[in-house]
Amino acid sequence: MYESMDERLFRDAMGKFATGVTVVVTELNGEIFAATVNAFMSVSLNPMLILISLNKTSQTLNKIKQRGLFTVNVLNKDQINISNHFASKKKSTKEIEFDFLDGMPVIPNSLAQIICTVSSEYEEGDHVLIVGKVTNLQIFEGEPLIFLEGGYRTLKEKPGQA
């Protein structure tokens, strides 16, 4: 059965899993680097750890490895333009305004802003998994931006309702 699988089928299968949308940001020598990431999860409460996955060719990944610090910004339903901006190959941070938390750049109006130090990294396939130790965070009210089957979605029902 494995032989009949191809990349498109795999992508379609993975697209059946709804995820939130984040932008991962770091700063190095006064320059800000960012990438849209939907491969994000919590790993541990004690200590507080999260995990992100970035393509090996990502410039943002390279800068995170150099700096050892990054932020994860959970986007709200009105931030599709920010997600698209940082998902492009030719992204620039110059036209985006950032706030700062503990001296690290964060996306204004995001639902959560999480500052991390790199705890460990694992190279798997064409991606690198980075485990980050949470050093600070702040949260805000709002509806999350959701990604499902190659497109953006928003929540239509309140939690606990079916």
Side-chain angles (χ1 to χ4, degrees):
M1 179 166 224
Y2 179 77
E3 293 143 10
S4 68
M5 290 192 315
D6 62 16
E7 283 186 21
R8 180 75 260 159
L9 182 62
F10 181 73
R11 288 177 70 105
D12 290 348
M14 295 302 100
K16 298 292 184 187
F17 184 70
T19 67
V21 182
T22 69
V23 171
V24 174
V25 183
T26 195
E27 179 274 330
L28 186 65
N29 300 324
E31 193 171 353
I32 296 174
F33 302 87
T36 298
V37 173
N38 71 344
F40 161 74
M41 63 180 270
S42 64
V43 173
S44 170
L45 287 175
N46 189 14
M48 288 180 247
L49 300 172
I50 58 91
L51 181 136
I52 59 171
S53 177
L54 290 162
N55 192 295
K56 285 182 189 177
T57 63
S58 167
Q59 183 180 32
T60 302
L61 170 65
N62 183 38
K63 302 305 180 186
I64 288 171
K65 287 176 158 188
Q66 290 178 54
R67 178 71 194 270
L69 290 170
F70 63 96
T71 67
V72 177
N73 302 269
V74 179
L75 299 187
N76 76 52
K77 68 180 177 76
D78 298 320
Q79 293 179 308
I80 291 172
N81 60 333
I82 290 176
S83 174
N84 285 335
H85 182 81
F86 290 119
S88 73
K89 295 285 184 204
K90 299 196 185 248
K91 56 191 153 239
S92 166
T93 58
K94 294 188 184 348
E95 56 274 352
I96 303 294
E97 288 189 37
F98 292 89
D99 286 340
F100 289 84
L101 178 62
D102 287 352
M104 287 296 291
V106 293
I107 304 287
N109 304 313
S110 55
L111 298 180
Q113 300 164 339
I114 306 164
I115 298 178
C116 299
T117 59
V118 174
S119 176
S120 57
E121 61 182 76
Y122 305 92
E123 192 171 307
E124 293 294 338
D126 58 5
H127 277 63
V128 174
L129 308 175
I130 302 242
V131 176
K133 183 175 183 183
V134 177
T135 61
N136 199 356
L137 58 84
Q138 54 187 5
I139 61 171
F140 303 93
E141 292 300 314
E143 297 276 332
L145 182 60
I146 308 291
F147 196 75
L148 175 69
E149 295 180 331
Y152 296 107
R153 310 291 169 90
T154 58
L155 295 177
K156 292 191 176 15
E157 299 167 350
K158 296 289 181 194
Q161 295 179 343

